[in-house]
């Protein structure tokens, strides 16, 4: 891993969990980590309830767009964190893989998405500690 690790968050639609995780990591770690997110079957837009939940904590993810998971992005990432994408994620020797089992915010109201958002923050904070980077 380089001195500036690259973290890729992957979920099916790249519209909720992975976007919230990327938002948290950018917010908490600043430019000490290169943050990426992608989906195996990306949606047309980010889940508006996920956007609202993140806005409540002062993080704006409205400019993000769901992206298709591609081989090169996965291969060039140091840490790959999957969130329900199943077997579609490529596996490369020497990479660190984590699978975060989290409820899917798709179709959920804000009351159900807030605890998902907060659990993602907890896991991102733990990841930052494990990466040994200085937070913003």
């Amino acid at each position: 891993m380089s001195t500036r690790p690259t973290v890729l968050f992957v979920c099916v639609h790249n519209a909720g969990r992975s976007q919230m995780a990327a938002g948290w990591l950018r917010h908490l770690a600043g430019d000490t980590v290169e943050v990426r997110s992608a989906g195996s079957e990306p949606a047309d837009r980010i889940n508006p309830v996920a956007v609202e939940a993140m806005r409540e904590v002062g993080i704006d993810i409205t400019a993000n767009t769901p992206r298709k998971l591609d081989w090169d992005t996965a291969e060039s990432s140091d840490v790959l964190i999957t969130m329900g994408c199943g077997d579609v994620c490529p596996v490369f020797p020497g990479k660190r893989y984590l699978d975060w089992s989290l409820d899917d915010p798709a179709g959920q109201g804000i009351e159900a998405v807030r605890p998902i958002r907060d659990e993602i923050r907890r896991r991102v904070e733990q990841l930052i500690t494990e990466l040994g980077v200085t937070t913003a």
Side-chain angles (χ1 to χ4, degrees):
M1 192 177 326
S2 66
T3 57
R4 182 174 179 238
T6 302
V7 176
L8 172 62
F9 295 102
V10 182
C11 67
V12 176
H13 299 295
N14 191 221
R17 295 167 289 188
S18 58
Q19 292 288 352
M20 289 191 289
W24 275 121
L25 187 54
R26 284 186 189 102
H27 178 76
L28 295 170
D31 64 358
T32 62
V33 176
E34 183 178 341
V35 182
R36 302 170 174 176
S37 69
S40 55
E41 298 175 25
D44 294 332
R45 64 187 177 114
I46 296 180
N47 179 335
V49 181
V51 170
E52 180 183 351
M54 294 301 284
R55 185 179 296 126
E56 289 180 348
V57 294
I59 300 172
D60 183 4
I61 61 172
T62 57
N64 300 359
T65 55
R67 298 182 192 278
K68 176 86 173 147
L69 175 64
D70 66 73
W71 187 270
D72 291 338
T73 300
E75 183 179 35
S76 64
S77 297
D78 298 309
V79 180
L80 288 85
I81 300 174
T82 57
M83 303 174 190
C85 70
D87 296 331
V88 300
C89 298
V91 177
F92 299 97
K95 304 293 178 183
R96 179 174 177 201
Y97 290 88
L98 299 170
D99 184 48
W100 290 356
S101 179
L102 297 160
D103 290 337
D104 189 346
Q108 304 285 342
I110 191 68
E111 294 297 325
V113 174
R114 285 180 184 129
I116 299 168
R117 173 202 64 203
D118 296 343
E119 177 61 15
I120 291 171
R121 179 185 180 144
R122 186 192 69 73
R123 292 178 190 212
V124 166
E125 289 173 334
Q126 180 179 346
L127 176 67
I128 290 168
T129 299
E130 291 169 2
L131 292 174
V133 296
T134 304
T135 56

